[in-house]
Amino acid sequence: MITRFGMAGTASVRDEVLNRLRGSGRILVIALPLARLAAGMLALGGVVAAGITGYWMAAGPQALDRLWPAATEALPADGVIDMPELVVNLRRDTPSRFLKIGLSLTAAHRDRERLERAMPQLTDSLQEFLRNLDQDDLEGSAGLHRLRSEIKRRFNLILSDPAGRQEVVTDVLLRSLLTQ
């Protein structure tokens, strides 16, 4: 004889639970956790609303403006300044002899005038740099990335502010690049 808590009792309890799940009890298995989740979300929303209301009542209506400040006036987007196209000789030991390049520089509006005043120095620095390249330096996307990065670094060195302000040229855009 097997007792109520023996093997036969466990199997029958398990079968009874499985039979309930197969029938109308299946809806309860799905609906009850969803209802608990919805009730928890409502409770969380109520707590957040009560917290914001309490903060507003204690600190006044201006406190919400300090808590979530309005979007400040947007700074104007960076401007694009076109450099004149350059044709330079590449190093003598390279199969391509000439490089034609067109660049555009991206800079903040406050730095535009400064950049235009320094254009002769930038052009001279660019020519000097490009004449020391060969065709292998321009191969693939990695070569173009290195070219753009080095030009940007050189231009920012020329335009550097003694006060140590951040970079003036934010990006170098290649409009055209041709080797012959």
Side-chain angles (χ1 to χ4, degrees):
M1 177 174 190
I2 299 178
T3 63
R4 181 176 165 185
F5 298 107
M7 291 290 253
T10 305
S12 66
V13 170
R14 183 184 59 196
D15 290 340
E16 184 179 327
V17 169
L18 289 175
N19 286 335
R20 283 187 190 169
L21 290 177
R22 287 186 192 119
S24 63
R26 188 178 335 169
I27 294 173
L28 292 177
V29 170
I30 295 171
L32 285 178
L34 289 177
R36 290 179 72 184
L37 179 65
M41 294 299 284
L42 284 173
L44 179 65
V47 168
V48 169
I52 291 173
T53 303
Y55 180 76
W56 179 71
M57 290 179 75
Q62 294 81 14
L64 285 182
D65 293 336
R66 287 191 307 265
L67 186 61
W68 288 295
T72 59
E73 185 176 314
L75 296 174
D78 289 350
V80 177
I81 300 166
D82 292 333
M83 288 188 72
E85 284 194 347
L86 297 175
V87 178
V88 296
N89 294 331
L90 293 174
R91 285 196 329 220
R92 291 185 182 207
D93 58 344
T94 186
S96 294
R97 299 291 308 224
F98 300 102
L99 170 70
K100 181 179 180 182
I101 188 168
L103 296 176
S104 294
L105 307 176
T106 306
H109 282 287
R110 68 177 181 270
D111 297 323
R112 186 177 182 99
E113 183 181 328
R114 181 176 172 191
L115 191 62
E116 288 173 352
R117 281 194 321 258
M119 195 60 70
Q121 290 91 357
L122 298 176
T123 304
D124 182 55
S125 172
L126 181 62
Q127 285 180 351
E128 180 183 335
F129 168 66
L130 293 175
R131 288 175 194 247
N132 289 313
L133 295 179
D134 60 10
Q135 189 167 357
D136 293 336
D137 294 329
L138 304 172
E139 289 295 321
S141 61
L144 293 179
H145 177 71
R146 283 190 304 270
L147 175 72
R148 292 175 57 216
S149 298
E150 182 63 22
I151 291 171
K152 179 181 168 184
R153 185 188 71 79
R154 287 173 179 260
F155 285 0
N156 281 323
L157 282 175
I158 292 170
L159 297 166
S160 65
D161 192 5
R165 205 174 80 215
Q166 291 150 320
E167 58 188 26
V168 175
V169 177
T170 56
D171 200 7
V172 175
L173 309 171
L174 291 172
R175 287 192 328 261
S176 63
L177 182 71
L178 176 68
T179 57
Q180 285 186 344

